[in-house]
Amino acid sequence: MKLMLLSVEPYSLINFRGDLIQALVKKKFEVVAMGRNASADQIKKLESFGCRYINYSVARTGLNPFFDLWTLMQFIIQIRNEAPTHVLAYTIKPVIWGGIACKFFPRTKYVGMITGLGYAFGEGGRLRKGVNYVARLLYKIALSDAEGVIFQNEDNRSKFEKISVLPRGAKIKVVNGSGVNLSLFSFQPVIQEQSKLIFLMIGRLLKDKGVSEFLAAADMVKRIYHEEVEFVLVGPEDSSPNAIKMVDVLDSSKQNIVSYLGELKDIRDIITKASVFVLPSYHEGTPRTVLEAMAIGRPIITTNVPGCRGTVIDGLNGWLVPKENVAELAEKIIWFMENPDKISKMGAESRKYVAEKFDVNLVNEDIIEVITSNS
């Protein structure tokens, strides 16, 4: 059996799908992964997992139809050249254009993995509504002949069912996110001797990630606690229409409200230094950074929205807050400031919960079961 794994970012293949690639290789699959602009080190890392890698051109964001058609043509060419028995695609453009490409190869079994609804399904003006309409149409075409469709939360599955996108006869499976490697992200006790509590957010600089709410809540809390608290933001800039202006982030940094560290290759050390992990996102598949923070043993503050709500048992391993609600986000941050003795206990509950539900080995078993069904 031969599987092509269609993605966009090489770091995602390594960090989010590395364990899956190795599990597939153990199942005697020949794996060929596709992504854009991989460095020599990234290619070497992927090859160490036992797969081959192919670079191709794709715009992760943007609405240029000519560029997207070129992405489709590249998928068609590579599927013809490689002749895989199975194709697995994740994130919106690989899922759509990979699914359409597979229509030219009826013997190839296609599985689409929906890792979140993203910009295309968010609320907004005419442009966003137009993008939403086109995305629904393309998803319906791309998935119509799929052997399986995998979701990372029940809300997303229900959404696709409601808009009549799911193909008849396909195996539909909800898995617990991408999972997390519990050995790589090992439990680390909260550092007790710190003079201040550290609240950490990791995410791309997007409006829908809740970056603006994090900055605003940090400002509110800093006015009360001053030097007793620190806020840290980690994550790359983004080219999406939904991107946060870097000037706003840097302005908060200059005012000593938030320490902005940019993008980090390895986030384990910064999570270990943190007291509490925060993600005020508007929607997710299942947020990988939250799972990683839980595995290391940190309480979570996140939003009561699809994808995020499944990571927190409210009051046990963290708190859920309404999306776009700065006041309630600040209130929960202040709760930890007033109850620092709860942090270690809630962090231990995070580790327990993630081990029971989000172990990457369990998640990968579910994904492979969909891939190999009817094979």
Side-chain angles (χ1 to χ4, degrees), residues 25-63:
V25 171
K26 286 181 180 179
K27 294 286 185 180
K28 307 303 180 184
F29 274 94
E30 178 186 351
V31 181
V32 180
M34 292 186 66
R36 66 172 185 177
N37 303 326
S39 67
D41 286 343
Q42 287 173 325
I43 293 172
K44 186 177 180 180
K45 184 66 173 179
L46 285 164
E47 289 175 345
S48 75
F49 295 154
C51 77
R52 284 192 295 114
Y53 176 80
I54 297 173
N55 263 321
Y56 77 107
S57 299
V58 59
R60 186 178 60 78
T61 59
L63 306 171

Side-chain angles (χ1 to χ4, degrees), residues 6-13 34-37 53 55-56 58-61 90-94:
L6 310 183
S7 178
V8 175
E9 303 294 353
Y11 78 82
S12 171
L13 286 167
M34 292 186 66
R36 66 172 185 177
N37 303 326
Y53 176 80
N55 263 321
Y56 77 107
V58 59
R60 186 178 60 78
T61 59
Y90 69 100
T91 69
I92 181 169
K93 292 200 175 182

Side-chain angles (χ1 to χ4, degrees), residues 33-190:
M34 292 186 66
R36 66 172 185 177
N37 303 326
S39 67
D41 286 343
Q42 287 173 325
I43 293 172
K44 186 177 180 180
K45 184 66 173 179
L46 285 164
E47 289 175 345
S48 75
F49 295 154
C51 77
R52 284 192 295 114
Y53 176 80
I54 297 173
N55 263 321
Y56 77 107
S57 299
V58 59
R60 186 178 60 78
T61 59
L63 306 171
N64 187 322
F66 298 104
F67 204 92
D68 285 343
L69 285 174
W70 172 229
T71 296
L72 171 62
M73 289 303 300
Q74 291 173 91
F75 283 150
I76 292 172
I77 291 168
Q78 293 299 339
I79 293 172
R80 183 194 63 195
N81 291 344
E82 296 290 339
T85 55
H86 301 75
V87 170
L88 173 65
Y90 69 100
T91 69
I92 181 169
K93 292 200 175 182
V95 168
I96 287 174
W97 301 119
I100 293 174
C102 284
K103 291 182 176 297
F104 294 92
F105 307 93
R107 293 185 179 181
T108 300
K109 298 181 183 300
Y110 174 67
V111 176
M113 185 154 54
I114 312 302
T115 54
L117 300 187
Y119 176 82
F121 286 84
E123 299 172 357
R126 290 184 179 180
L127 174 61
R128 210 157 187 183
K129 288 178 180 178
V131 172
N132 182 287
Y133 175 80
V134 173
R136 290 184 186 197
L137 177 62
L138 290 174
Y139 266 128
K140 190 164 188 175
I141 296 170
L143 296 175
S144 60
D145 294 324
E147 293 281 332
V149 183
I150 299 169
F151 294 90
Q152 293 193 339
N153 63 66
E154 183 60 37
D155 294 277
N156 287 177
R157 188 208 63 78
S158 297
K159 177 71 172 180
F160 269 50
E161 185 176 55
K162 184 178 179 180
I163 62 177
S164 302
V165 168
L166 294 180
R168 292 181 180 179
K171 186 172 183 63
I172 310 300
K173 181 78 173 180
V174 178
V175 302
N176 292 319
S178 302
V180 62
N181 186 317
L182 298 174
S183 298
L184 188 63
F185 289 86
S186 59
F187 179 79
Q188 304 293 329
V190 176

